[in-house]
């Protein structure tokens, strides 16, 4: 069946110009929308500070003369293990944030700044 005009289409679907959505329909639409998580500079700053600390720890593991560098005994073992644990946590947080995608934008914001600062310190 072919409908010629716009008015015929409107009549076919029984549209009423004064019809309003019901309260249940409005509630169902609003309930299906997730609240937006605003981005803040605090997460970027926290990621940068954590990345600087981890990057400094990793860099100090290789530098002779640093308090946790080579041949420093127990302090070197503790500092090195903390730096390596931080690196492993940073990489795993970045992988989780990449896998979650849009579900975890705040984790992505933290993890990206964290890894960026680690790489910058290791390359300097």
């Amino acid at each position: 069946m072919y409908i010629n005009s716009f008015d015929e289409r409107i009549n076919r679907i029984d549209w009423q110009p004064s019809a309003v959505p019901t309260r249940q329909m409005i509630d169902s639409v609003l309930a299906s929308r997730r609240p937006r998580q605003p981005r803040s500079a605090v997460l970027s700053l926290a990621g940068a500070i954590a990345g600087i600390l981890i990057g400094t720890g990793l860099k100090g593991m290789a530098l002779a003369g640093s308090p946790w560098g080579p041949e420093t005994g127990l302090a070197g073992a503790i500092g090195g293990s903390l730096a390596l644990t931080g690196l492993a946590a940073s990489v795993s947080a970045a992988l989780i944030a990449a896998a979650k995608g849009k579900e975890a934008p705040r984790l992505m914001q933290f993890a990206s700044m964290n890894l960026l600062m680690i790489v910058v310190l290791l390359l300097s």
Side-chain angles (χ1 to χ4, degrees), residues 57-58 61 68 75-85:
L58 291 170
M61 286 174 51
W68 59 91
I78 292 172
S81 63
L82 284 175
L84 290 175
T85 302

Side-chain angles (χ1 to χ4, degrees), residues 1-114:
M1 179 175 156
Y2 182 72
I3 300 173
N4 290 334
S5 71
F6 178 73
D7 292 329
E8 289 177 7
R9 290 180 189 170
I10 295 296
N11 290 336
R12 179 151 171 84
I13 63 171
D14 295 325
W15 180 69
Q16 302 288 330
S18 62
V20 296
T22 63
R23 185 45 125 178
Q24 293 84 8
M25 183 182 295
I26 293 171
D27 290 341
S28 69
V29 168
L30 292 177
S32 66
R33 299 182 82 195
R34 290 186 295 174
R36 293 187 66 192
Q37 296 178 342
R39 294 184 181 225
S40 67
V42 174
L43 290 171
S44 294
L45 183 62
I49 290 171
I52 289 169
L53 292 174
I54 294 168
T56 304
L58 291 170
K59 188 90 170 184
M61 286 174 51
L63 294 176
S66 70
W68 59 91
E71 300 176 10
T72 55
L74 183 61
I78 292 172
S81 63
L82 284 175
L84 290 175
T85 302
L87 178 65
S90 296
V91 170
S92 62
L95 291 174
I96 290 170
K100 293 270 185 173
K102 293 188 180 207
E103 296 175 11
R106 300 180 87 163
L107 179 61
M108 178 64 89
Q109 185 179 3
F110 176 83
S112 62
M113 281 302 294
N114 190 2

